[in-house]
Amino acid sequence: MSVLRKATPERLGAFSDGVFAVLITVLVLELRPPGVPTFKALLLLWPTWVSYAVSYLFIAIVWTNHHYLMRYAGEATPRLLWFNFAHLFSMSLLPLSTAWMAVSELAPQPVAFYAAVFFLVNATYICLIWELVDRAPGGEVSPAVRKIMHFRSIATLCLFGVAAVVALKYPIIGLGICIGCLIVYLRPDPPEPEKRKSRE
Amino acid sequence: MSVLRKATPERLGAFSDGVFAVLITVLVLELRPPGVPTFKALLLLWPTWVSYAVSYLFIAIVWTNHHYLMRYAGEATPRLLWFNFAHLFSMSLLPLSTAWMAVSELAPQPVAFYAAVFFLVNATYICLIWELVDRAPGGEVSPAVRKIMHFRSIATLCLFGVAAVVALKYPIIGLGICIGCLIVYLRPDPPEPEKRKSRE
Amino acid sequence: MSVLRKATPERLGAFSDGVFAVLITVLVLELRPPGVPTFKALLLLWPTWVSYAVSYLFIAIVWTNHHYLMRYAGEATPRLLWFNFAHLFSMSLLPLSTAWMAVSELAPQPVAFYAAVFFLVNATYICLIWELVDRAPGGEVSPAVRKIMHFRSIATLCLFGVAAVVALKYPIIGLGICIGCLIVYLRPDPPEPEKRKSRE
Amino acid sequence: MSVLRKATPERLGAFSDGVFAVLITVLVLELRPPGVPTFKALLLLWPTWVSYAVSYLFIAIVWTNHHYLMRYAGEATPRLLWFNFAHLFSMSLLPLSTAWMAVSELAPQPVAFYAAVFFLVNATYICLIWELVDRAPGGEVSPAVRKIMHFRSIATLCLFGVAAVVALKYPIIGLGICIGCLIVYLRPDPPEPEKRKSRE
C-alpha cells in the first residue's frame, strides 16, 4: 500500500506540458492570413506578430525554469500539485496580457497588468522553489545554490512589483524592467557559486 | 502473448492529461483583450474572468482526484477505459456550464444545469472508484479507507442532486451546496481513519 | 549505434494521444452558452449537442482500438509512422463530418460523406493491423485471433463502403449500417476463438 | 546531486509532441460544415481542404525528422532546449503560411513567405543536428551518416532560400522546389552509405 500511496511526479509533468503546449500555440490561432497577398498586409498585423513572438519566448522561459525545477520533485505531494496549478494559472494569463499590451500600443495600464501577471508567475515560482528545493533532503541541493535561487527569485519578484507601479506612469520603463528580469531566467540554473565568487 | 495482452494504464493517463490540459485552457481563449486600455474595461469582462477562474479551479480538483485514483490502476481494462471516457465527457461540459451560469448572472436554470453536470462528474467518479478501489486485490486498500471513499462520494452525489433541484427555486443555495461539496474534494485522499475516529 | 537506431513507439503513442485529445475536445468549443437562461434554449442547440456526444463516442471507440493495436508495436518503423499519420488524418475529419450531418438534419450527401470518412478510418486501421499484427513474430498473435481481426476489419470496411452508397438514396439506412459497424468495435479485442467456435 | 542535475530529454519530447499535436489539428478547426448539404458546397471549400491536407503532411514530415533526431538526445542541455523552441516556433508558422498561400491562389509573395518559413524550419533543424549528432560521442554516429545528414540539410536549406527568391517571380517553380525538398525528408534516416556509393 505504501508503494501505491507514493505518487510519482510523471503525470504532473505530462499534464503541465499539455497546458504549456496549448498556451504556447494559443496566439498562433490569432494569426490570420491577410486578405491581400502582399508582405505589407502581413506586416500590418504586427501587434499580433509581436504578441505571438514575445509570449512564445516568455512561455518558453517559464517552461525551461519549470522543467529545471521539476527535476527536484520526488513525489507529487498535494501542496506541490496546488502550487503547480497556481503557477500554470498565472502563466495562462500571459497570452492575454501580451496581446492587450500590443493592441493598446504600450498604454500604461495594460503594461502594468502585464508586469502584474509576471509578478504572479514569479510568486508561484517561489512557492515551487520553496516546496521542491527547500524541502529536499539535505545533501541534494548545496546551500550556495539554494541561496542564489532564493536571492534571484525574490529580487525579480520585487522588480516585477516595482515595474507594475512604475508602468502606470512610465510604461516603457516598466516594460524594460520586466524584460531585464526575464533575461536573468534565460539560464534556469543559477551560475555556479565558484564563478559567482570570482566575479564578486 | 500474455505480456502483450496486459495493457498498462500509462497511455490512459497520457490521453486523460491531454484532455484535461485542453479543457482547462479552453476558457482562456474566451478572454479577449478589451478594446480600451483601462483596468475598468478589463473588469467589465468579469463574467468571463469568474468563469475561467472557477472552472480552472474545479477542473484542477477533478484532475487531482483523477490522478489520485489512477494510482490504483494496474491494468487498462475495457471497463476502466469506458468509465474514464464517461468521466472525461461529463467534465468536458464544465467550462460551458460555468460560462452559462456566469453569463446569466446566476439564473435558476443555468445553476441547476451546473449542479447536474457535477452530479454526472461525481457519478462517473463513483464508477471509477468501484472499478479501481473495490476490485483491487484485498490488501491494497484498507477497508476503512474504502468505506470512507464510498461514503464521501455517495454523500456528495446526493448533495449535487439536491442542489440541482433546489437551484430551480433558490439558485444561490444550490450553488452554495455545490461549492461545499467541492471543498470536501480539495484533498483527494480521505482523512486517515484514526484521525476520523478521534473526531467522531 | 544499433540501440540508438531502434525507435521505441512511446513518442508515437504520446503524439497520437495529443492529437486524439485535441480532436475529442474540438466540438466542445462549438458549444456556446445560450443567450436565454432556460433549458429550452439549451435544447434548441441539439444539433451541436448530438454532434459532440456522437463524435466523442466514436473517437473514443477509435482511440480504444488504436490503443489496443499499439500494444503490438515493438518499434516505430517508418511505415508504422506513416500509417499512423494517415489514420489520425482520416479520424480528424470525424468532428467536421458529424457536425455537417447534424446541421443538415441527416441529408443524403452529408451522411454519405460521414460513411466515407469511416471507410477511410477503417482502411487505415487495416494498414495498422497489417503492419503490427501480421508482421509480428510468429508466436505473438495466434492465427485464430489474426484471422478474426482480418475478417472483422474487412467486413466492416465493405459495410462502410455500402453505407456510403446507400446513404445517397436512404440516409437513415446508411447511418444505421455505420452505427452497426461501430458497435462491433466497442470491444477492441476480438472474441476468443473458443467462444466463437461454440457460437458457429 | 549530479544525478538530479542531468535532465533527461523525456519531458522535452512530451512538450514537443503536445505542440505538434495542437499545430497539426489547428487547421481542422477552420473546416466548417458548409451551409448547403451537397458535395459541391464541400468542394467549394477547397482552399481550406488543400491547406489542411498539405500542412498536415508537412508537419508530419517535420515530426518524423524531429522524432528521428531526438533519439540521439542523451541530455536536455540548455542549448538543445532553445534550439528546439526555435524549431517549434518556425514550424508553428506553417499552418498560417499554407493557408495564406491557398487563399491567395498561389500569389508570388505568399509563396515566397511559405518558402521562407521552410527555410527557417530547416535552419533550426540544422542547429538540432549540430547539437545532437555532431556533439554525440565518437562511435555513436558513423562519419558517413554524419556527412550525408550535413550535405542533405545544407543543400535543402540553400534550395529553400532559392525557392523564396524565385517565387517572387515564378511562384509555381518556387513551390515546386519546396515540394522537391520535402520529398527528400520523407525518410528521416539518410540512405545507407553503401547504397549511396553504389548509386554514385
Side-chain angles (χ1 to χ4, degrees):
Chain A
M1 197 167 106
S2 61
V3 178
L4 273 169
R5 276 288 141 97
K6 235 190 165 187
T8 55
E10 283 159 22
R11 267 199 69 190
L12 190 66
F15 171 73
S16 305
D17 283 339
V19 174
F20 276 106
V22 173
L23 287 176
I24 214 167
T25 45
V26 155
L27 275 180
V28 92
L29 296 167
E30 300 293 302
L31 280 169
R32 299 254 146 258
V36 188
T38 55
F39 290 138
K40 222 187 224 169
L42 203 66
L43 289 174
L44 278 176
L45 301 173
W46 71 266
T48 324
W49 279 98
V50 170
S51 294
Y52 178 53
V54 170
S55 85
Y56 185 97
L57 177 64
F58 291 171
I59 292 180
I61 291 174
V62 178
W63 186 86
T64 307
N65 284 278
H66 183 267
H67 170 254
Y68 170 77
L69 212 56
M70 274 296 165
R71 276 188 287 156
Y72 293 103
E75 197 189 330
T77 58
R79 204 177 307 157
L80 176 58
L81 291 185
W82 288 106
F83 285 158
N84 192 50
F85 277 126
H87 190 57
L88 294 177
F89 181 81
S90 45
M91 197 202 52
S92 78
L93 303 176
L94 263 182
L96 168 80
S97 61
T98 316
W100 197 31
M101 197 173 66
V103 162
S104 72
E105 300 190 2
L106 305 182
Q109 296 190 10
V111 176
F113 178 67
Y114 185 73
V117 168
F118 271 115
F119 182 86
L120 267 180
V121 172
N122 201 342
T124 50
Y125 188 69
I126 288 174
C127 293
L128 285 174
I129 290 177
W130 180 60
E131 178 68 23
L132 287 172
V133 177
D134 290 11
R135 316 190 117 223
E140 279 187 21
V141 190
S142 74
V145 168
R146 223 180 268 213
K147 223 168 144 185
I148 297 168
M149 286 182 88
H150 278 216
F151 176 76
R152 185 174 67 165
S153 57
I154 289 167
T156 52
L157 185 73
C158 297
L159 282 169
F160 281 127
V162 168
V165 176
V166 167
L168 291 171
K169 195 84 193 174
Y170 309 101
I172 300 292
I173 295 174
L175 184 61
I177 298 172
C178 289
I179 291 170
C181 290
L182 284 162
I183 285 168
V184 173
Y185 283 100
L186 274 177
R187 267 186 77 87
D189 45 337
E192 295 283 318
E194 291 82 358
K195 288 182 201 159
R196 209 181 147 79
K197 263 176 197 156
S198 64
R199 258 192 272 156
E200 275 165 8
Chain B
M1 198 167 105
S2 60
V3 178
L4 273 168
R5 275 287 141 97
K6 234 186 166 192
T8 55
E10 283 158 22
R11 267 198 68 190
L12 190 67
F15 171 73
S16 305
D17 282 339
V19 173
F20 276 106
V22 174
L23 287 176
I24 216 168
T25 45
V26 155
L27 276 179
V28 92
L29 296 169
E30 302 292 302
L31 281 170
R32 300 254 145 255
V36 189
T38 56
F39 290 138
K40 221 188 224 168
L42 202 67
L43 289 174
L44 278 175
L45 300 173
W46 72 266
T48 323
W49 280 97
V50 170
S51 294
Y52 178 53
V54 170
S55 86
Y56 185 97
L57 176 64
F58 290 173
I59 292 179
I61 292 175
V62 177
W63 186 85
T64 307
N65 284 278
H66 185 266
H67 169 255
Y68 171 77
L69 213 56
M70 275 296 165
R71 277 188 285 156
Y72 292 103
E75 196 189 330
T77 58
R79 204 176 307 158
L80 176 58
L81 292 186
W82 288 106
F83 284 159
N84 192 52
F85 278 125
H87 191 58
L88 294 177
F89 181 80
S90 44
M91 197 202 51
S92 77
L93 303 175
L94 263 182
L96 168 80
S97 61
T98 317
W100 197 30
M101 197 171 67
V103 162
S104 73
E105 300 188 4
L106 304 182
Q109 297 191 9
V111 176
F113 178 69
Y114 185 73
V117 168
F118 271 116
F119 183 87
L120 268 180
V121 173
N122 202 340
T124 51
Y125 187 69
I126 289 175
C127 293
L128 285 174
I129 290 177
W130 180 61
E131 178 69 23
L132 286 172
V133 178
D134 290 11
R135 316 191 116 221
E140 281 187 20
V141 191
S142 75
V145 168
R146 221 181 270 214
K147 223 168 143 185
I148 297 167
M149 285 181 88
H150 278 215
F151 176 77
R152 185 174 68 165
S153 56
I154 289 167
T156 52
L157 185 74
C158 297
L159 282 169
F160 282 126
V162 168
V165 175
V166 167
L168 290 171
K169 196 85 192 174
Y170 309 102
I172 301 291
I173 296 174
L175 185 60
I177 298 173
C178 288
I179 291 169
C181 291
L182 284 162
I183 286 169
V184 173
Y185 283 101
L186 274 177
R187 266 186 78 89
D189 46 337
E192 294 285 315
E194 292 81 357
K195 289 181 201 160
R196 207 182 150 81
K197 261 176 198 156
S198 64
R199 257 191 273 157
E200 273 164 9
Chain C
M1 199 166 106
S2 60
V3 178
L4 272 169
R5 276 287 141 98
K6 237 191 162 189
T8 55
E10 282 158 24
R11 268 199 66 190
L12 191 66
F15 171 73
S16 305
D17 282 340
V19 173
F20 275 106
V22 174
L23 286 175
I24 216 167
T25 44
V26 156
L27 276 179
V28 93
L29 296 169
E30 301 292 303
L31 281 169
R32 301 252 146 256
V36 189
T38 56
F39 291 139
K40 223 188 223 167
L42 202 67
L43 289 174
L44 278 175
L45 300 173
W46 71 266
T48 322
W49 280 97
V50 170
S51 294
Y52 178 53
V54 170
S55 85
Y56 185 97
L57 177 64
F58 290 172
I59 292 179
I61 292 176
V62 176
W63 185 85
T64 307
N65 284 278
H66 184 267
H67 169 255
Y68 171 77
L69 212 57
M70 274 296 166
R71 278 189 285 155
Y72 292 104
E75 196 191 330
T77 58
R79 206 177 304 158
L80 176 59
L81 291 186
W82 287 106
F83 284 159
N84 192 50
F85 277 125
H87 192 57
L88 294 177
F89 181 81
S90 44
M91 198 200 53
S92 78
L93 303 175
L94 264 181
L96 167 81
S97 61
T98 317
W100 196 30
M101 197 172 66
V103 162
S104 73
E105 299 190 4
L106 304 181
Q109 296 190 8
V111 177
F113 177 68
Y114 185 73
V117 168
F118 271 116
F119 183 87
L120 267 180
V121 173
N122 201 340
T124 50
Y125 188 68
I126 288 175
C127 293
L128 285 174
I129 290 178
W130 181 61
E131 178 69 23
L132 287 172
V133 178
D134 290 12
R135 315 190 117 222
E140 280 188 20
V141 191
S142 75
V145 168
R146 221 181 268 214
K147 224 168 141 184
I148 297 167
M149 285 181 89
H150 279 216
F151 177 76
R152 185 174 67 166
S153 58
I154 289 167
T156 52
L157 184 73
C158 297
L159 282 169
F160 281 126
V162 168
V165 175
V166 167
L168 291 171
K169 195 84 194 174
Y170 308 102
I172 301 293
I173 296 174
L175 185 59
I177 298 173
C178 288
I179 292 170
C181 290
L182 284 162
I183 287 169
V184 173
Y185 283 100
L186 274 176
R187 267 186 78 88
D189 44 339
E192 294 284 315
E194 291 82 358
K195 288 181 200 159
R196 208 182 147 80
K197 262 176 198 154
S198 65
R199 259 193 271 155
E200 274 164 7
Chain D
M1 199 167 106
S2 60
V3 179
L4 272 169
R5 276 285 143 98
K6 236 190 163 187
T8 55
E10 282 158 23
R11 268 199 68 190
L12 189 67
F15 171 73
S16 305
D17 282 340
V19 174
F20 275 106
V22 174
L23 286 176
I24 216 167
T25 44
V26 155
L27 275 180
V28 91
L29 296 169
E30 300 292 301
L31 280 169
R32 299 252 147 258
V36 188
T38 56
F39 291 138
K40 223 189 224 167
L42 202 67
L43 289 174
L44 278 176
L45 300 174
W46 72 265
T48 323
W49 279 98
V50 170
S51 294
Y52 178 53
V54 169
S55 85
Y56 185 97
L57 177 63
F58 290 172
I59 291 180
I61 291 175
V62 177
W63 185 85
T64 307
N65 284 277
H66 184 267
H67 169 255
Y68 170 77
L69 212 56
M70 275 295 166
R71 277 188 286 156
Y72 292 104
E75 196 189 331
T77 58
R79 203 176 306 158
L80 176 58
L81 292 186
W82 288 107
F83 284 159
N84 192 51
F85 277 126
H87 191 58
L88 294 177
F89 180 81
S90 45
M91 198 201 52
S92 78
L93 303 175
L94 263 181
L96 167 82
S97 61
T98 317
W100 198 30
M101 196 172 66
V103 162
S104 72
E105 299 190 3
L106 305 182
Q109 296 190 10
V111 176
F113 178 67
Y114 185 73
V117 169
F118 271 116
F119 183 86
L120 268 180
V121 173
N122 201 341
T124 50
Y125 188 69
I126 288 174
C127 294
L128 285 174
I129 289 178
W130 180 60
E131 177 69 23
L132 288 172
V133 177
D134 290 12
R135 316 188 116 224
E140 278 187 23
V141 191
S142 75
V145 167
R146 223 181 266 213
K147 224 168 142 185
I148 297 168
M149 286 181 89
H150 279 215
F151 177 77
R152 186 173 68 166
S153 57
I154 289 167
T156 52
L157 184 73
C158 297
L159 282 169
F160 281 127
V162 169
V165 175
V166 168
L168 290 171
K169 194 85 194 176
Y170 308 102
I172 301 291
I173 295 174
L175 185 61
I177 298 172
C178 289
I179 293 170
C181 291
L182 285 162
I183 286 169
V184 172
Y185 283 101
L186 274 176
R187 267 187 79 88
D189 45 339
E192 294 284 315
E194 291 82 358
K195 287 183 200 158
R196 209 181 147 80
K197 263 177 195 154
S198 65
R199 258 194 271 157
E200 276 165 5

